[in-house]
Amino acid sequence: MDMELYKLTIHEASDLLHRGEISSRELTKSVLERIEATESKLHSFISIHPEAALKQADKADWLRENPNSKELHVLTGIPFALKDNICTRGIRTTCASRLMEQFNPSIDGAVVKKLKNAHAVLIGKLNMDEFAIGSSGESSIFPHTRNPWAADRVPGGSSGGSAASVAADQVLFSLGSDTGGSIRQPASFCGITGMKPSFGAVSGYGLIPFATSLDQLGPMCKDVTDCAIVMNVITGFDPMDRMSAKISHPDYTSYLKQDVSGMRIGLLRGWMEGTISGDVRMAIEKAAKLYQDMGAWIEEITLPHMEYAVSAYLLISSAEASHNLTAGKGMRMGYKEGEICELDELAVGSGLQSLGASVKKRILLGNTGLCNDNYEIYYKEALKLRTLIKEDFDRVFEKCDLILTPTNPDTAFLFGEMEINVIEMYKYDAYTVPVNLAGLPAVSIPCGFDSKGLPIGMQLIGRLYGEGALLQASYAFEQNTDHHIKSPVLITSTD
Ligand code: GLN
């Protein structure tokens, strides 16, 4: 078939595979050629596995040729890739860290098992910020992923490779992880659709943790339909994950209807003043207007404690990260024989000296927030704020079905732009971290472009386990706009 197969969405490719018009081998080869042509400019991947992928593609084709096969699934034969903090048996899983550079897991993460059972085709492992800590991809020990829309700009983070690979049509979909925005922020920077499910909806078994009470795996896709398809596969209770929610999940594709009439959408207007770029504000206003035209009610809302969310998030996530990264490695609470030491000094001999500066900073912050009186002054206060933020959301969801915000206050920034002022970078997380603190589901979908031609993302936040309503409202918006169809013009090496 003479077309650019790598450009297809999951649902388009799946239809063609089902009708026998293309084979998974053809599709996988097309994707591998696309990677070949673009990867030296993009650096989305940490590892690529063409031979294994083609073998899986052949298996998928074989299954499709056997009409009796019960093993067929919409994802059968569909090429995808995984963020490199998700364990894959026998395939190096690095977290983009020197510390894990040679780590070869003996298990598959729960999501990997599910995708293998569906016979999706794993192409490779994707670039990220070291241990998923960061917002730009610049803390990876590997060559930094570029934004497909502008090579001098970051793809976002920490799931930067996951977003860039989908935006640049290197894979049909990817998985990312989101602790404070790491699926939604890169999705918005790269102009794709990314969903952070409710806490506990997707098993995190086999995900190398950053902050255990906040981490959540989710799909990064070319459109909302694909998100629903991937959600159907990756969600579900898993006794192997202590944080897994014992709930039954609906068929998420049943929510893909163009109907938002009567839906009540809360718009966080007051809080937006002065904090976001004019272009982003305009795009959100336009989105709200479109929802109104489609029959939804727009109500202005406030979340009074949201302004404390970034501080609370930094303390809680860093405390958990310091535990996850240092437990059993000779470091406890920033102390060594009763004394506070320099982190570098502590790190020597524990293997932690190989960590990058941003990870060390967070461990230090986490330890500082936990030790002695600081526990009461900082950590416990952060936990109280977390409760207040959750209560803010509960109040809004008494009268609203969804909340609309920008995903980020501005579009993708330049490489090096945030180096001197990380606080500026943390501000990019202002709309996304409250959602993780409250455990709610949220999605980022393309809603326009700024004056530089960079994609703008809008965030919809749902009730706990309210992914269905979220997908429905996202789908309705997407079907009435064309932002998601636009692709970056990449200068490929074959051009
Ligand atoms: N940018 C945020 C941070 O650096 C979020 C990271 C994430 O969600 N993994 O903490």
Side-chain angles (χ1 to χ4, degrees):
M1 198 183 227
D2 195 22
M3 65 185 279
E4 292 159 319
L5 298 181
Y6 60 82
K7 285 191 175 162
L8 297 171
T9 60
I10 299 173
H11 54 99
E12 289 164 349
S14 184
D15 284 349
L16 292 172
L17 285 166
H18 184 70
R19 292 206 297 267
E21 289 178 30
I22 60 168
S23 68
S24 175
R25 173 168 268 269
E26 284 170 320
L27 179 61
T28 304
K29 274 181 94 169
S30 167
V31 157
L32 289 168
E33 278 162 22
R34 174 69 173 171
I35 294 172
E36 176 90 353
T38 52
E39 183 57 10
S40 63
K41 303 242 164 47
L42 279 179
H43 305 296
S44 314
F45 284 88
I46 288 176
S47 65
I48 308 169
H49 308 282
E51 273 152 43
L54 286 169
K55 248 173 101 177
Q56 293 167 52
D58 288 342
K59 172 83 191 282
D61 286 334
W62 183 86
L63 286 169
R64 284 202 188 268
E65 279 156 24
N66 269 5
N68 287 332
S69 175
K70 285 196 183 68
E71 291 185 70
L72 286 184
H73 186 276
V74 230
L75 288 186
T76 302
I78 303 287
F80 76 103
L82 295 165
K83 187 173 180 178
D84 210 21
N85 58 353
I86 304 168
C87 284
T88 38
R89 189 156 63 93
I91 298 176
R92 191 167 73 124
T93 301
T94 67
C95 284
S97 179
R98 209 49 84 209
L99 191 66
M100 307 259 300
E101 214 181 342
Q102 305 306 335
F103 178 53
N104 213 335
S106 55
I107 57 146
D108 273 329
V111 287
V112 183
K113 273 192 213 148
K114 283 170 184 264
L115 289 163
K116 274 190 178 172
N117 286 341
H119 301 285
V121 174
L122 176 64
I123 298 289
K125 305 294 294 289
L126 297 160
N127 212 344
M128 55 184 281
D129 277 295
E130 184 175 15
F131 281 107
I133 295 176
S135 306
S136 68
E138 289 167 290
S139 68
S140 170
I141 60 158
F142 299 101
H144 298 161
T145 309
R146 287 160 189 266
N147 191 310
W149 293 87
D152 54 348
R153 292 184 182 267
V154 303
S158 60
S159 313
S162 302
S165 60
V166 173
D169 293 317
Q170 292 180 315
V171 282
L172 276 68
F173 76 98
S174 67
L175 293 192
S177 68
D178 191 312
T179 307
S182 276
I183 287 176
R184 291 159 287 159
Q185 184 253 28
S188 98
F189 279 16
C190 292
I192 63 159
T193 302
M195 182 172 221
K196 182 205 95 70
S198 301
F199 187 70
V202 177
S203 171
Y205 175 73
L207 166 70
I208 313 282
F210 163 9
T212 318
S213 79
L214 301 158
D215 295 341
Q216 191 60 204
L217 288 161
M220 302 179 75
C221 298
K222 295 182 187 180
D223 67 12
V224 177
T225 303
D226 283 3
C227 259
I229 291 172
V230 179
M231 281 293 285
N232 273 354
V233 179
I234 62 173
T235 51
F237 173 66
D238 178 6
M240 296 295 280
D241 175 6
R242 281 187 302 135
M243 303 292 169
S244 182
K246 223 173 188 167
I247 54 157
S248 60
H249 292 267
D251 171 3
Y252 289 109
T253 60
S254 69
Y255 290 92
L256 302 172
K257 316 179 255 225
Q258 282 195 55
D259 181 15
V260 289
S261 50
M263 251 193 204
R264 292 158 307 167
I265 300 177
L267 181 64
L268 199 61
R269 203 186 307 259
W271 205 74
M272 274 158 45
E273 305 295 332
T275 58
I276 64 170
S277 89
D279 289 343
V280 173
R281 180 210 303 269
M282 237 155 64
I284 300 300
E285 300 277 349
K286 256 177 103 174
K289 174 84 178 50
L290 178 57
Y291 271 120
Q292 229 160 9
D293 294 345
M294 290 191 287
W297 296 93
I298 299 289
E299 287 186 40
E300 293 201 17
I301 56 144
T302 56
L303 296 164
H305 298 92
M306 200 162 144
E307 60 182 293
Y308 307 108
V310 171
S311 310
Y313 163 80
L314 279 172
L315 278 160
I316 294 170
S317 63
S318 302
E320 293 181 18
S322 76
H323 173 81
N324 284 329
L325 289 166
T326 63
K329 294 196 184 73
M331 284 182 66
R332 247 178 58 237
M333 301 285 175
Y335 283 95
K336 199 177 168 190
E337 291 161 15
E339 272 177 79
I340 298 177
C341 303
E342 282 297 316
L343 192 69
D344 279 335
E345 197 183 311
L346 277 167
V348 173
S350 61
L352 292 170
Q353 70 270 30
S354 56
L355 288 171
S358 15
V359 177
K360 281 183 186 161
K361 262 189 233 165
R362 296 284 181 101
I363 296 177
L364 192 56
L365 175 65
N367 288 345
T368 309
L370 287 172
C371 71
N372 291 351
D373 294 347
N374 286 353
Y375 177 80
E376 296 283 331
I377 304 169
Y378 296 111
Y379 186 69
K380 270 181 95 172
E381 283 305 307
L383 289 184
K384 278 186 212 155
L385 280 169
R386 183 177 193 168
T387 306
L388 292 171
I389 289 163
K390 257 182 104 184
E391 287 169 0
D392 281 351
F393 277 115
D394 289 346
R395 252 190 306 276
V396 169
F397 283 125
E398 275 168 23
K399 54 181 179 122
C400 289
D401 301 304
L402 296 169
I403 296 172
L404 170 64
T405 77
T407 306
N408 303 109
D410 208 343
T411 51
F413 47 85
L414 294 163
F415 281 101
E417 194 178 335
M418 300 293 168
E419 225 161 70
I420 6 157
N421 193 355
V422 276
I423 302 293
E424 257 328 288
M425 189 159 89
Y426 295 159
K427 279 191 198 155
Y428 265 78
D429 299 338
Y431 297 103
T432 50
V433 293
V435 178
N436 299 71
L437 288 170
L440 302 173
V443 66
S444 175
I445 54 176
C447 71
F449 292 85
D450 71 0
S451 52
K452 299 185 209 84
L454 299 168
I456 301 173
M458 71 183 206
Q459 175 176 241
L460 286 170
I461 308 168
R463 294 195 177 98
L464 186 66
Y465 309 132
E467 278 85 345
L470 213 50
L471 287 164
Q472 184 169 337
S474 306
Y475 183 75
F477 182 85
E478 180 191 86
Q479 295 303 303
N480 284 282
T481 53
D482 61 358
H483 314 296
H484 66 291
I485 295 165
K486 298 194 178 126
S487 285
V489 182
L490 287 175
I491 320 274
T492 65
S493 38
T494 51
D495 284 344

